[in-house]
């Protein structure tokens, strides 16, 4: 919003990351202060709302940019953030007595450094083709940092994340499903919005403006919200891992629709709606799988780790989409061949198949620990 140098933009993005981490904190507050039957529904809704807001935010931001420039969009973000801060200050209760408020700064810095490298490598696919040795070295450094972080967390009395709890088969399986599923979910989201904005001169696409293309996300948000509201009711009859598997199948169906039919704009709306319904159900069911074997005091920690896994999966999904489309772009062409989108969709179907199988494997295990 202000005419500040690029470094301030990076600082702002870092602040956004802190804000996203508060989603897991809200889940911990809900679990601490609400009855069990109500907290489960609230946590599921928080998980869903944190994703489907994109269907409102993207087109609204694009409209504001068209009408008043980038600063108008940032100005609205500032107003919304201030309103959220005021609401939190007035309504969120204090943490239960005896809960440690110390932060493992060393662990946070090491994890942040490792994730920066991981996301950088995911966001710069050209580095792997042009400077393979550099990319491999950075990947090794990232792996070493992650190992160091695990050691730090195991030795800390106030770890950011209880690594021992994360190793529980149910939690590890859920995070694996989230990671692979996140790759597929964000891949399809990227494919559809990019396809919609591709100009007609490429031989396909609809040449939509940023604002109109953002409207394609509306079915994603609407049906995602519907799925998020339905999931807590269905959970009384169907186990959470089975809901994860079913939602992954729905997302895979969205990929199949996009691969088979995308010559009409209405078909993109349908595919995006199917994606939203699958993502909504998946996001609403995920906390139940993890929190079933997680102590109340570790709710925020466990869900924060899941959010990190999801963010990395989303970044990799975007990178994979870019790699496949780049490979399908002929010499001297600005846009990839239409068949490249089909190839990317088939890759996404494979990712969701892995997610489905992982979720079904979770369904065959009974939690070894009761809910505390």
């Amino acid at each position: 919003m202000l005419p500040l140098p690029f470094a301030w933009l990076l600082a702002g993005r870092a602040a956004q990351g802190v804000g996203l981490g508060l989603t897991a904190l809200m889940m911990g507050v809900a679990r601490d202060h609400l009855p069990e039957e109500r907290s489960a529904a609230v946590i599921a809704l928080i998980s869903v709302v944190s994703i489907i807001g994109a269907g409102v935010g993207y087109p609204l931001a694009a409209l504001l940019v068209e009408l008043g420039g980038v600063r108008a969009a940032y100005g609205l973000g500032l107003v919304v953030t201030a309103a959220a801060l005021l609401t939190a200050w007035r309504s969120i209760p204090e943490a239960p007595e005896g809960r440690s408020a110390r932060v493992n700064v060393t662990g946070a810095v090491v994890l942040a450094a490792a994730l920066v490298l991981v996301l950088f490598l995911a966001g710069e696919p050209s580095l792997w083709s042009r400077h393979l040795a550099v990319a491999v070295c950075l990947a090794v450094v990232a792996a070493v940092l992650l190992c160091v972080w695990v050691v730090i967390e195991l030795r800390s009395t106030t770890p950011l994340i209880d690594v021992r709890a994360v190793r529980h088969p149910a939690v590890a399986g859920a995070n694996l499903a989230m990671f692979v599923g996140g790759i597929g979910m964000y891949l399809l989201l990227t494919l559809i919005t990019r396809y919609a904005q591709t100009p007609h001169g490429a031989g396909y696409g609809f040449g939509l403006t940023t604002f109109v293309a953002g409207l394609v996300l509306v079915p994603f948000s609407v049906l995602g919200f519907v799925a998020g509201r339905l999931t807590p009711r269905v959970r009384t009859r169907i186990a959470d891992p089975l809901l994860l598997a079913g939602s992954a199948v729905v997302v895979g169906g969205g990929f199949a629709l996009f691969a088979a039919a995308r010559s009409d704009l209405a078909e993109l709306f349908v595919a995006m709606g199917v994606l939203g319904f699958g993502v909504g159900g998946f996001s609403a069911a995920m906390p139940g799988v993890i929190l079933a074997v997680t102590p109340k005091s570790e709710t925020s920690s466990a869900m924060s780790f899941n959010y990190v896994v999801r963010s990395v999966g989303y970044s990799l999904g975007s990178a994979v989409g870019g790699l496949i489309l780049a490979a399908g772009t002929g010499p001297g062409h600005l846009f990839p061949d239409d068949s490249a989108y089909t190839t990317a969709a088939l890759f996404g179907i494979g990712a969701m198949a892995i997610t489905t199988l992982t979720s079904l494997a979770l369904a065959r295990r009974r939690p070894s620990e009761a809910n505390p």
Side-chain angles (χ1 to χ4, degrees), residues 22-342:
L22 295 178
T23 303
L25 182 61
M26 287 189 289
M27 293 180 180
V29 172
R31 200 177 185 198
D32 280 337
H33 297 279
L34 294 176
E36 183 175 346
E37 62 278 3
R38 188 180 174 195
S39 68
V42 171
I43 290 173
L45 185 60
I46 292 173
S47 181
V48 172
V49 169
S50 65
I51 296 177
I52 64 175
V56 177
Y58 279 123
L60 181 58
L63 178 62
L64 288 173
V65 169
E66 290 185 6
L67 296 178
V70 174
R71 293 180 182 177
Y74 277 106
L76 176 64
L78 179 61
V79 171
V80 172
T81 302
L85 178 62
L86 179 61
T87 302
W89 178 62
R90 295 290 300 271
S91 60
I92 295 182
E94 295 183 2
E97 293 184 7
R99 187 73 57 79
S100 173
R102 296 181 60 186
V103 177
N104 183 0
V105 177
T106 304
V109 171
V110 173
L111 178 61
L115 290 178
V116 166
L117 289 177
V118 171
L119 296 177
F120 174 74
L121 291 171
E124 297 290 338
S126 61
L127 187 66
W128 293 93
S129 58
R130 298 178 182 177
H131 306 284
L132 180 60
V134 175
V136 171
C137 288
L138 291 178
V140 171
V141 172
V144 171
L145 287 175
L146 287 173
C147 293
V148 171
W149 171 75
V150 170
V151 173
I152 292 173
E153 294 299 290
L154 289 173
R155 294 181 176 180
S156 175
T157 56
T158 57
L160 287 173
I161 295 169
D162 187 346
V163 177
R164 294 179 179 85
V166 170
R167 291 186 303 181
H168 188 286
V171 179
N175 284 322
L176 176 61
M178 185 73 261
F179 175 70
V180 181
I183 292 175
M185 294 171 195
Y186 204 79
L187 172 61
L188 183 54
L189 190 71
T190 303
L191 291 176
I192 294 177
T193 52
R194 182 167 175 171
Y195 194 92
Q197 294 180 77
T198 301
H200 296 287
Y204 60 90
F206 302 95
L208 303 182
T209 64
T210 304
F211 168 62
V212 179
L215 294 178
V216 178
L217 290 167
V218 172
F220 173 85
S221 289
V222 172
L223 289 180
F225 182 78
V226 170
R229 297 292 292 178
L230 290 176
T231 299
R233 301 177 185 179
V234 179
R235 289 180 66 207
T236 59
R237 299 182 179 181
I238 303 176
D240 288 311
L242 290 177
L243 288 175
L244 287 182
S247 299
V249 170
V250 172
V251 175
F255 272 108
L257 287 173
F258 179 73
R262 53 179 184 268
S263 60
D264 189 273
L265 187 58
E267 294 168 342
L268 295 190
F269 275 89
V270 172
M272 190 65 86
V274 172
L275 172 64
F277 193 83
V279 171
F282 196 90
S283 301
M286 177 60 69
V289 177
I290 295 175
L291 299 183
V293 293
T294 302
K296 280 188 176 183
S297 60
E298 296 296 329
T299 298
S300 298
S301 172
M303 293 311 303
S304 293
F305 186 78
N306 186 255
Y307 268 68
V308 169
V309 169
R310 180 165 71 182
S311 297
V312 174
Y314 284 176
S315 297
L316 288 177
S318 179
V320 167
L323 281 172
I324 296 175
L325 295 182
T329 304
H333 293 183
L334 292 176
F335 301 99
D337 296 334
D338 188 36
S339 60
Y341 283 91
T342 302

